[in-house]
Amino acid sequence: MTTHLLISLWASSLTQVQKTCIMSSKSNVFMTGVTGYVGGSVLSRLLQHPDGPSFSITVLVRSEEKANKLKDFGVNPVVGSIKDVALLEELSSKADILISLADSDDLAMGQAMLRGLKRRYETNGSVPILIQTSGTGVLADGSAGDYSGDVIYNDDDPDQIETLANTQQHRYLDLALVQGDKEGYVRVYLILPSNIYGLATGKLVDAGIQNPRSIQIPSIINASLSRGRGGMVGAGKNIWNDVHIDDVADLYVVLYDSIKSNPKATGHGREGFYIAENGEHTLYQIGKAIAEDLVARGKATNPEPSTFTDEEINLYFGGSTFWGTNSRGRSNRSRSIGWKPRYTTQDMLAGIKPEIDALISVGGKFSFNAPAPVASG
Ligand SMILES: *[C@@H]1O[C@H](CO)[C@@H](O)[C@H](O)[C@H]1NC(C)=O
Ligand SMILES: *[C@@H]1O[C@H](CO)[C@@H](O)[C@H](O)[C@H]1NC(C)=O
Ligand SMILES: *[C@@H]1O[C@H](CO)[C@@H](O)[C@H](O)[C@H]1NC(C)=O
């Protein structure tokens, strides 16, 4: 009886202590790019996270209308752009955790975030966290669909990652952030999605806040519909990794949880590269799946993809043969912190039909609408 009473007293006082802790230690989370394909998916998950009640989430968005809608989700929107570096620095200087999802290449953006986070450190004493969205475009080689690359980058091997030239896509910014980490005032983690596929779903999509679409596969579908045949760059021999949007978003949460529960075992800085992939494909496989689907719908007659001409590369891809590069990596470090992607390359290929349905349903009238041009690689 007495023991029982003591236990319940102890339990109720513990609950009280926990409540007090939660209420007094709000984490200031600052996010950019939340109206984008990846950013919206990450924000949706943070809103449902068990730590959600202890987050105070500030988001930077360009659209006043979307800012107003976001208020209904319990976040604090600030209307503005990452190009406004003074504003970006100011918001960063209040963040315990900055999740950067708007851009993977803008050095001025990166420097502003670092200045703000440094101020945070100098005035607060605790080391803030920066999770930057990079991409496996950094691994791309010079192929234009003409060969399969054989170099495979391991995200758990910083020496190998440091063999990448600083002229590689994203690399200049990534290196600047890693340098900030080295100076000790911030802990930097970089997530590198590969070719992301799948339509994003959730409340932010339903509310018209979030862009649901990736870039690579939709742009190839759009071009193929327009030319009446599946297409590819060169012979489509090049290889890229792939990953589903839901698995990418999960990686941000797994990383956050790992930083909180086991910071020492969660690599950062030069050891903070986290690739998101769960399989790989040739560009030919994508072209073939599109070509066959268009024939089945009566929108094409040839079930084999053909090479995009130079004119088509100009018309549909801004003159870039980037989709013809090889970009191969392995998510060893991401898996080591508990990331378990669910979708495979087979799911990506099976998902091409619904992606074509979705593009046809909008009558070809869509834009990538990407405040976050990081949706692919
Ligand atoms: C540092 O930041 C934490 C978390 O936001 C806050 O609880 C704490 O009061 C801050 N400390 C100082 C000295 O500002
Ligand atoms: C990690 O990646 C490399 C590819 O670079 C692979 O050969 C290796 O087996 C992987 N290691 C683990 C522990 O999974
Ligand atoms: C889709 O293709 C059309 C040409 O048919 C092009 O004008 C348009 O810019 C493309 N849209 C996107 C988002 O790529």
Side-chain angles (χ1 to χ4, degrees):
M1 177 76 175
T2 319
T3 315
H4 190 90
L5 183 67
L6 278 175
I7 287 174
S8 58
L9 274 173
W10 174 77
S12 71
S13 69
L14 186 72
T15 311
Q16 201 50 50
V17 170
Q18 283 174 331
K19 270 184 198 150
T20 315
C21 283
I22 287 167
M23 291 179 64
S24 64
S25 65
K26 281 255 180 195
S27 288
N28 291 326
V29 180
F30 170 42
M31 300 176 73
T32 61
V34 299
T35 62
Y37 178 56
V38 179
S41 300
V42 175
L43 176 56
S44 291
R45 278 164 177 70
L46 288 186
L47 292 171
Q48 289 162 16
H49 193 278
D51 289 359
S54 76
F55 294 148
S56 165
I57 303 179
T58 299
V59 300
L60 180 63
V61 287
R62 289 175 301 181
S63 147
E64 185 114 35
E65 187 200 334
K66 290 186 178 181
N68 283 328
K69 288 183 182 176
L70 278 160
K71 284 182 191 153
D72 298 339
F73 291 87
V75 304
N76 322 311
V78 174
V79 178
S81 153
I82 55 163
K83 300 290 176 195
D84 181 346
V85 289
L87 176 63
L88 187 60
E89 177 180 337
E90 183 59 24
L91 294 170
S92 303
S93 77
K94 296 181 181 135
D96 299 303
I97 304 166
L98 196 174
I99 310 182
S100 163
L101 293 137
D103 197 288
S104 307
D105 300 287
D106 186 336
L107 185 62
M109 170 199 81
Q111 288 166 333
M113 296 190 308
L114 288 178
R115 283 194 303 275
L117 293 166
K118 190 172 188 180
R119 256 165 65 194
R120 172 80 188 167
Y121 170 71
E122 284 164 354
T123 56
N124 184 291
S126 64
V127 179
I129 288 162
L130 168 60
I131 300 178
Q132 163 67 9
T133 307
S134 179
T136 63
V138 72
L139 312 178
D141 67 6
S143 170
D146 42 339
Y147 62 90
S148 301
D150 53 13
V151 183
I152 300 179
Y153 291 87
N154 175 359
D155 63 356
D156 207 7
D157 183 348
D159 291 337
Q160 187 193 22
I161 288 176
E162 285 176 0
T163 64
L164 291 165
N166 63 7
T167 48
Q168 290 291 97
Q169 199 179 71
H170 317 319
R171 188 70 182 150
Y172 209 66
L173 173 56
D174 292 356
L175 284 173
L177 301 178
V178 166
Q179 179 59 30
D181 180 284
K182 201 172 169 187
E183 290 172 22
Y185 59 84
V186 59
R187 288 212 308 273
V188 174
Y189 306 82
L190 300 114
I191 291 186
L192 287 74
S194 53
N195 175 19
I196 313 175
Y197 62 89
L199 292 163
T201 55
K203 287 183 179 159
L204 297 177
V205 172
D206 297 343
I209 295 170
Q210 180 189 352
N211 165 35
R213 225 182 306 280
S214 189
I215 294 176
Q216 193 199 69
I217 290 176
S219 76
I220 297 174
I221 292 172
N222 184 49
S224 301
L225 278 168
S226 170
R227 74 204 285 267
R229 183 171 177 178
M232 59 196 170
V233 177
K237 288 184 179 166
N238 59 295
I239 299 172
W240 263 73
N241 292 112
D242 45 76
V243 65
H244 191 277
I245 179 63
D246 290 348
D247 287 326
V248 173
D250 286 347
L251 178 55
Y252 286 79
V253 177
V254 168
L255 177 59
Y256 166 82
D257 288 340
S258 181
I259 293 167
K260 286 287 156 193
S261 64
N262 205 352
K264 289 212 164 64
T266 313
H268 59 95
R270 71 184 290 269
E271 299 187 345
F273 287 76
Y274 295 83
I275 287 177
E277 60 80 22
N278 194 30
E280 54 182 23
H281 59 272
T282 62
L283 187 63
Y284 172 81
Q285 285 178 281
I286 291 179
K288 176 74 175 157
I290 295 171
E292 287 179 350
D293 183 276
L294 294 189
V295 170
R297 298 172 194 259
K299 292 202 179 284
T301 53
N302 195 322
E304 275 300 311
S306 62
T307 300
F308 291 120
T309 63
D310 290 349
E311 290 71 27
E312 288 173 328
I313 295 281
N314 287 332
L315 180 62
Y316 300 118
F317 308 110
S320 167
T321 54
F322 187 72
W323 297 154
T325 58
N326 291 285
S327 166
R328 305 182 69 187
R330 293 292 179 268
S331 295
N332 290 337
R333 185 183 296 279
S334 300
R335 288 169 208 273
S336 78
I337 59 166
W339 183 59
K340 294 188 182 71
R342 288 167 291 162
Y343 298 93
T344 65
T345 302
Q346 282 315 309
D347 295 309
M348 178 190 75
L349 294 170
I352 283 179
K353 182 182 182 312
E355 295 237 20
I356 296 178
D357 292 338
L359 289 187
I360 289 177
S361 76
V362 295
K365 286 192 201 63
F366 71 102
S367 83
F368 294 117
N369 175 33
V374 293
S376 185

Coordinates of all heavy atoms in Angstrom, one line a residue, residues 199-264:
L199 N 5.2 11.1 -56.2 CA 4.5 12.3 -56.0 C 4.4 12.5 -54.5 O 4.0 11.6 -53.7 CB 3.1 12.2 -56.6 CG 3.1 12.1 -58.1 CD1 1.7 11.6 -58.6 CD2 3.4 13.5 -58.7
A200 N 4.8 13.7 -54.0 CA 4.7 14.0 -52.6 C 3.2 14.1 -52.2 O 2.4 14.6 -53.0 CB 5.4 15.3 -52.3
T201 N 2.9 13.6 -51.0 CA 1.5 13.7 -50.5 C 1.5 14.3 -49.1 O 2.6 14.4 -48.5 CB 0.9 12.3 -50.4 OG1 1.7 11.5 -49.6 CG2 0.7 11.6 -51.8
G202 N 0.3 14.7 -48.7 CA 0.2 15.1 -47.3 C -0.5 16.4 -47.2 O -1.0 17.0 -48.2
K203 N -0.7 16.9 -46.0 CA -1.5 18.1 -45.7 C -1.0 19.4 -46.4 O -1.8 20.2 -46.9 CB -1.6 18.4 -44.2 CG -2.5 17.4 -43.5 CD -2.6 17.7 -42.1 CE -3.5 16.6 -41.4 NZ -3.3 16.5 -40.0
L204 N 0.3 19.5 -46.6 CA 0.8 20.7 -47.2 C 0.6 20.7 -48.7 O 0.4 21.7 -49.4 CB 2.3 20.9 -46.9 CG 2.7 21.1 -45.4 CD1 4.2 21.1 -45.2 CD2 2.0 22.3 -44.8
V205 N 0.6 19.5 -49.3 CA 0.2 19.3 -50.7 C -1.3 19.7 -50.9 O -1.7 20.5 -51.7 CB 0.5 17.9 -51.3 CG1 0.0 17.7 -52.7 CG2 2.0 17.7 -51.3
D206 N -2.1 19.0 -50.0 CA -3.6 19.3 -50.1 C -3.9 20.7 -49.9 O -4.9 21.2 -50.5 CB -4.3 18.5 -49.0 CG -4.1 17.0 -49.2 OD1 -3.7 16.5 -50.3 OD2 -4.3 16.2 -48.2
A207 N -3.1 21.5 -49.1 CA -3.4 22.9 -48.9 C -2.9 23.8 -50.0 O -3.0 25.0 -49.9 CB -2.9 23.3 -47.5
G208 N -2.3 23.2 -51.0 CA -1.7 24.0 -52.1 C -0.5 24.8 -51.7 O -0.1 25.7 -52.4
I209 N 0.2 24.3 -50.7 CA 1.4 25.0 -50.2 C 2.6 24.4 -50.9 O 3.6 25.1 -51.2 CB 1.5 24.9 -48.7 CG1 0.4 25.7 -48.0 CG2 2.9 25.4 -48.2 CD1 0.3 25.4 -46.5
Q210 N 2.6 23.1 -51.0 CA 3.8 22.3 -51.4 C 3.8 21.9 -52.9 O 2.8 21.3 -53.3 CB 4.0 21.1 -50.5 CG 5.2 20.3 -50.8 CD 5.2 19.0 -50.0 OE1 4.4 18.8 -49.1 NE2 6.2 18.1 -50.3
N211 N 4.9 22.0 -53.6 CA 5.0 21.4 -54.9 C 5.2 19.9 -54.8 O 6.1 19.4 -54.1 CB 6.3 22.0 -55.6 CG 6.7 21.2 -56.8 OD1 5.9 20.7 -57.5 ND2 8.0 21.1 -57.0
P212 N 4.3 19.1 -55.4 CA 4.3 17.7 -55.2 C 5.3 16.9 -56.1 O 5.4 15.7 -56.0 CB 2.9 17.3 -55.5 CG 2.5 18.2 -56.6 CD 3.1 19.5 -56.2
R213 N 5.9 17.7 -57.0 CA 6.6 17.0 -58.1 C 8.1 17.1 -58.1 O 8.6 18.2 -57.8 CB 6.1 17.6 -59.4 CG 5.8 16.7 -60.5 CD 5.4 17.4 -61.8 NE 4.3 18.3 -61.6 CZ 3.0 18.0 -61.5 NH1 2.6 16.8 -61.6 NH2 2.1 19.0 -61.3
S214 N 8.8 16.0 -58.5 CA 10.2 16.1 -58.6 C 10.6 16.7 -60.0 O 9.7 17.3 -60.6 CB 10.8 14.7 -58.5 OG 12.2 14.7 -58.5
I215 N 11.8 16.6 -60.4 CA 12.3 17.3 -61.6 C 12.6 16.3 -62.7 O 12.1 16.4 -63.8 CB 13.4 18.2 -61.3 CG1 13.0 19.4 -60.4 CG2 14.0 18.8 -62.6 CD1 14.1 20.3 -60.0
Q216 N 13.5 15.3 -62.4 CA 14.1 14.6 -63.5 C 13.1 13.8 -64.3 O 12.9 14.0 -65.5 CB 15.2 13.6 -62.9 CG 16.0 13.1 -64.1 CD 16.8 11.8 -63.7 OE1 16.2 10.8 -63.5 NE2 18.1 12.0 -63.7
I217 N 12.4 12.8 -63.6 CA 11.5 12.0 -64.4 C 10.3 12.8 -65.0 O 10.0 12.7 -66.2 CB 11.0 10.8 -63.5 CG1 12.1 9.8 -63.3 CG2 9.8 10.1 -64.1 CD1 11.8 8.7 -62.3
P218 N 9.7 13.7 -64.3 CA 8.7 14.6 -64.9 C 9.2 15.3 -66.1 O 8.5 15.5 -67.1 CB 8.2 15.5 -63.8 CG 8.5 14.7 -62.5 CD 9.7 14.0 -62.8
S219 N 10.4 15.8 -66.1 CA 10.9 16.6 -67.2 C 11.1 15.7 -68.4 O 10.9 16.1 -69.6 CB 12.2 17.4 -66.9 OG 13.3 16.6 -66.9
I220 N 11.5 14.4 -68.2 CA 11.7 13.5 -69.3 C 10.3 13.0 -69.9 O 10.1 12.9 -71.1 CB 12.6 12.3 -68.9 CG1 14.0 12.8 -68.5 CG2 12.7 11.2 -70.0 CD1 14.9 11.7 -67.9
I221 N 9.4 12.8 -68.9 CA 8.0 12.5 -69.4 C 7.4 13.6 -70.2 O 6.9 13.4 -71.3 CB 7.1 12.2 -68.2 CG1 7.5 10.9 -67.4 CG2 5.6 12.1 -68.6 CD1 6.8 10.7 -66.1
N222 N 7.6 14.9 -69.7 CA 7.0 16.0 -70.5 C 7.6 16.1 -71.9 O 6.9 16.3 -72.9 CB 7.4 17.3 -69.7 CG 6.8 18.5 -70.3 OD1 5.6 18.6 -70.6 ND2 7.6 19.6 -70.5
A223 N 8.9 15.9 -72.0 CA 9.6 16.0 -73.3 C 9.1 14.8 -74.2 O 8.8 15.0 -75.4 CB 11.1 15.9 -73.1
S224 N 8.9 13.6 -73.6 CA 8.5 12.4 -74.3 C 7.1 12.6 -74.9 O 6.8 12.2 -76.0 CB 8.7 11.2 -73.5 OG 10.0 11.0 -73.1
L225 N 6.2 13.1 -74.0 CA 4.8 13.3 -74.4 C 4.8 14.3 -75.6 O 4.1 14.1 -76.6 CB 4.0 13.9 -73.3 CG 3.5 13.0 -72.2 CD1 2.9 13.7 -71.0 CD2 2.3 12.1 -72.9
S226 N 5.6 15.3 -75.5 CA 5.6 16.4 -76.5 C 6.2 15.9 -77.8 O 5.7 16.2 -78.9 CB 6.5 17.6 -75.9 OG 6.7 18.5 -76.9
R227 N 7.2 15.0 -77.8 CA 7.8 14.6 -79.1 C 7.2 13.3 -79.6 O 7.5 12.8 -80.6 CB 9.3 14.4 -78.9 CG 9.7 13.1 -78.1 CD 11.1 13.2 -77.4 NE 12.2 13.1 -78.3 CZ 12.8 11.9 -78.6 NH1 12.4 10.8 -78.0 NH2 13.8 11.8 -79.4
G228 N 6.3 12.7 -78.7 CA 5.6 11.5 -79.1 C 6.4 10.2 -79.1 O 6.1 9.2 -79.8
R229 N 7.4 10.2 -78.3 CA 8.2 9.0 -78.1 C 9.1 9.1 -76.9 O 9.6 10.2 -76.6 CB 9.1 8.8 -79.4 CG 10.0 7.6 -79.3 CD 10.7 7.3 -80.7 NE 11.5 6.2 -80.6 CZ 12.2 5.7 -81.6 NH1 12.2 6.3 -82.8 NH2 13.0 4.6 -81.5
G230 N 9.3 8.0 -76.2 CA 10.2 8.0 -75.1 C 11.6 8.5 -75.5 O 12.0 8.2 -76.6
G231 N 12.3 9.2 -74.7 CA 13.7 9.7 -75.1 C 14.7 9.5 -74.0 O 14.4 9.2 -72.8
M232 N 15.9 9.7 -74.4 CA 17.1 9.6 -73.4 C 18.2 10.5 -74.0 O 18.3 10.8 -75.2 CB 17.5 8.2 -73.3 CG 17.9 7.5 -74.6 SD 18.0 5.7 -74.4 CE 18.2 5.3 -76.1
V233 N 19.2 10.7 -73.1 CA 20.4 11.4 -73.5 C 21.3 10.4 -74.1 O 21.6 9.3 -73.4 CB 21.0 12.2 -72.4 CG1 22.3 12.8 -72.8 CG2 20.1 13.2 -71.8
G234 N 21.9 10.6 -75.3 CA 22.8 9.6 -75.9 C 22.2 8.2 -75.9 O 21.0 8.1 -76.3
A235 N 23.0 7.2 -75.5 CA 22.5 5.9 -75.5 C 21.8 5.5 -74.2 O 21.4 4.3 -74.0 CB 23.6 4.9 -75.9
G236 N 21.7 6.4 -73.3 CA 21.1 6.1 -72.0 C 21.9 5.1 -71.1 O 21.3 4.5 -70.3
K237 N 23.2 5.0 -71.4 CA 23.9 4.0 -70.6 C 24.3 4.4 -69.2 O 24.8 3.6 -68.4 CB 25.2 3.6 -71.4 CG 25.0 2.8 -72.7 CD 26.3 2.5 -73.3 CE 26.1 1.7 -74.6 NZ 27.3 1.6 -75.4
N238 N 24.2 5.7 -69.0 CA 24.6 6.3 -67.7 C 23.8 5.8 -66.5 O 22.6 5.5 -66.7 CB 24.6 7.8 -67.8 CG 23.2 8.3 -68.1 OD1 22.7 8.1 -69.2 ND2 22.6 9.0 -67.1
I239 N 24.4 5.8 -65.4 CA 23.7 5.2 -64.2 C 23.6 6.3 -63.1 O 24.5 7.0 -62.8 CB 24.6 4.0 -63.6 CG1 24.7 2.9 -64.6 CG2 24.0 3.5 -62.3 CD1 25.7 1.8 -64.3
W240 N 22.4 6.3 -62.5 CA 22.1 7.2 -61.3 C 21.5 6.3 -60.3 O 20.8 5.4 -60.6 CB 21.1 8.3 -61.7 CG 21.8 9.6 -62.0 CD1 22.4 9.9 -63.2 CD2 21.7 10.8 -61.2 NE1 22.9 11.2 -63.1 CE2 22.4 11.8 -62.0 CE3 21.2 11.1 -60.0 CZ2 22.6 13.1 -61.5 CZ3 21.4 12.4 -59.5 CH2 22.1 13.4 -60.2
N241 N 21.7 6.7 -59.0 CA 20.9 6.2 -57.9 C 19.5 6.8 -57.9 O 19.3 7.9 -58.4 CB 21.6 6.4 -56.6 CG 22.9 5.7 -56.4 OD1 23.9 6.3 -56.4 ND2 22.8 4.4 -56.3
D242 N 18.6 6.1 -57.2 CA 17.2 6.6 -57.1 C 16.8 6.5 -55.6 O 17.3 5.6 -54.9 CB 16.3 5.9 -58.0 CG 16.5 4.4 -58.1 OD1 16.1 3.7 -57.1 OD2 17.2 3.9 -59.0
V243 N 15.8 7.3 -55.3 CA 15.2 7.2 -53.9 C 13.8 7.8 -53.9 O 13.6 8.8 -54.6 CB 16.2 8.0 -52.9 CG1 16.3 9.5 -53.2 CG2 15.8 7.8 -51.5
H244 N 12.9 7.3 -53.1 CA 11.5 7.8 -53.1 C 11.5 9.0 -52.2 O 12.2 9.1 -51.1 CB 10.6 6.7 -52.6 CG 9.2 7.0 -52.7 ND1 8.5 7.7 -51.8 CD2 8.3 6.6 -53.7 CE1 7.2 7.8 -52.2 NE2 7.1 7.2 -53.3
I245 N 10.6 9.9 -52.5 CA 10.5 11.2 -51.7 C 10.2 10.9 -50.2 O 10.7 11.6 -49.4 CB 9.4 12.1 -52.3 CG1 9.2 13.4 -51.5 CG2 8.0 11.4 -52.5 CD1 10.4 14.3 -51.4
D246 N 9.4 9.9 -49.9 CA 9.1 9.6 -48.5 C 10.3 9.1 -47.8 O 10.5 9.4 -46.6 CB 8.0 8.5 -48.4 CG 6.6 9.0 -48.9 OD1 6.5 10.3 -49.1 OD2 5.7 8.2 -49.0
D247 N 11.1 8.3 -48.5 CA 12.4 7.9 -47.8 C 13.4 9.0 -47.6 O 14.0 9.1 -46.6 CB 13.0 6.8 -48.7 CG 12.3 5.4 -48.6 OD1 11.7 5.1 -47.5 OD2 12.2 4.7 -49.6
V248 N 13.4 9.9 -48.6 CA 14.3 11.1 -48.4 C 13.8 11.9 -47.2 O 14.6 12.2 -46.3 CB 14.2 12.1 -49.6 CG1 15.0 13.4 -49.4 CG2 14.8 11.4 -50.8
A249 N 12.5 12.2 -47.1 CA 12.0 12.9 -45.9 C 12.3 12.2 -44.6 O 12.7 12.8 -43.6 CB 10.5 13.2 -46.1
D250 N 12.2 10.9 -44.6 CA 12.5 10.1 -43.4 C 13.9 10.3 -43.0 O 14.2 10.3 -41.8 CB 12.2 8.6 -43.6 CG 10.7 8.3 -43.7 OD1 9.9 9.1 -43.3 OD2 10.4 7.1 -44.1
L251 N 14.8 10.4 -44.0 CA 16.2 10.5 -43.6 C 16.5 11.8 -42.8 O 17.3 11.8 -41.8 CB 17.1 10.5 -44.9 CG 18.6 10.7 -44.6 CD1 19.2 9.7 -43.6 CD2 19.4 10.6 -46.0
Y252 N 15.8 12.9 -43.1 CA 16.0 14.1 -42.3 C 15.6 13.8 -40.8 O 16.3 14.3 -39.9 CB 15.2 15.3 -42.8 CG 15.7 15.9 -44.1 CD1 15.5 15.2 -45.3 CD2 16.5 17.0 -44.1 CE1 16.0 15.8 -46.5 CE2 17.0 17.6 -45.3 CZ 16.7 16.9 -46.5 OH 17.3 17.4 -47.6
V253 N 14.5 13.1 -40.6 CA 14.0 12.8 -39.3 C 15.0 11.8 -38.5 O 15.3 12.0 -37.4 CB 12.6 12.3 -39.3 CG1 12.1 11.9 -37.9 CG2 11.7 13.3 -40.0
V254 N 15.4 10.8 -39.3 CA 16.3 9.9 -38.7 C 17.6 10.6 -38.3 O 18.2 10.4 -37.2 CB 16.6 8.7 -39.7 CG1 17.8 7.9 -39.2 CG2 15.4 7.8 -39.9
L255 N 18.1 11.5 -39.1 CA 19.3 12.3 -38.8 C 19.1 13.1 -37.5 O 19.9 13.1 -36.6 CB 19.7 13.1 -40.0 CG 20.9 14.0 -39.8 CD1 22.2 13.2 -39.4 CD2 21.2 14.8 -41.1
Y256 N 17.9 13.8 -37.5 CA 17.6 14.7 -36.3 C 17.6 13.8 -35.1 O 18.2 14.2 -34.1 CB 16.3 15.4 -36.5 CG 15.7 16.0 -35.3 CD1 16.2 17.2 -34.8 CD2 14.8 15.2 -34.5 CE1 15.7 17.7 -33.6 CE2 14.4 15.8 -33.3 CZ 14.8 17.0 -32.8 OH 14.4 17.5 -31.6
D257 N 16.9 12.7 -35.1 CA 16.8 11.8 -33.9 C 18.2 11.3 -33.5 O 18.5 11.2 -32.3 CB 15.9 10.6 -34.3 CG 14.5 10.9 -34.4 OD1 14.1 12.0 -33.8 OD2 13.7 10.2 -35.0
S258 N 19.0 11.0 -34.5 CA 20.4 10.5 -34.2 C 21.3 11.6 -33.6 O 22.0 11.3 -32.6 CB 21.0 9.9 -35.5 OG 22.3 9.4 -35.2
I259 N 21.1 12.8 -34.1 CA 21.9 13.9 -33.5 C 21.5 14.1 -32.0 O 22.3 14.4 -31.2 CB 21.6 15.2 -34.3 CG1 22.2 15.1 -35.7 CG2 22.2 16.4 -33.6 CD1 21.7 16.2 -36.7
K260 N 20.2 14.0 -31.8 CA 19.7 14.2 -30.4 C 20.1 13.1 -29.5 O 20.5 13.3 -28.4 CB 18.1 14.3 -30.4 CG 17.6 15.6 -31.0 CD 17.8 16.7 -30.0 CE 17.9 18.1 -30.7 NZ 18.4 19.2 -29.9
S261 N 19.9 11.8 -29.9 CA 20.1 10.7 -29.0 C 21.5 10.2 -29.0 O 22.0 9.7 -28.0 CB 19.2 9.6 -29.4 OG 19.5 9.1 -30.7
N262 N 22.3 10.5 -30.0 CA 23.6 9.9 -30.1 C 24.6 10.8 -30.8 O 25.1 10.4 -31.9 CB 23.5 8.5 -30.7 CG 24.7 7.6 -30.3 OD1 25.6 8.1 -29.6 ND2 24.6 6.4 -30.7
P263 N 24.8 12.1 -30.4 CA 25.5 13.0 -31.2 C 26.9 12.6 -31.5 O 27.4 12.9 -32.6 CB 25.5 14.3 -30.3 CG 25.1 13.9 -28.9 CD 24.3 12.6 -29.1
K264 N 27.6 11.9 -30.6 CA 29.0 11.5 -30.9 C 29.1 10.5 -32.0 O 30.1 10.5 -32.8 CB 29.6 10.9 -29.6 CG 29.8 11.9 -28.5 CD 31.1 11.6 -27.7 CE 31.5 12.8 -26.9 NZ 30.5 13.2 -25.9

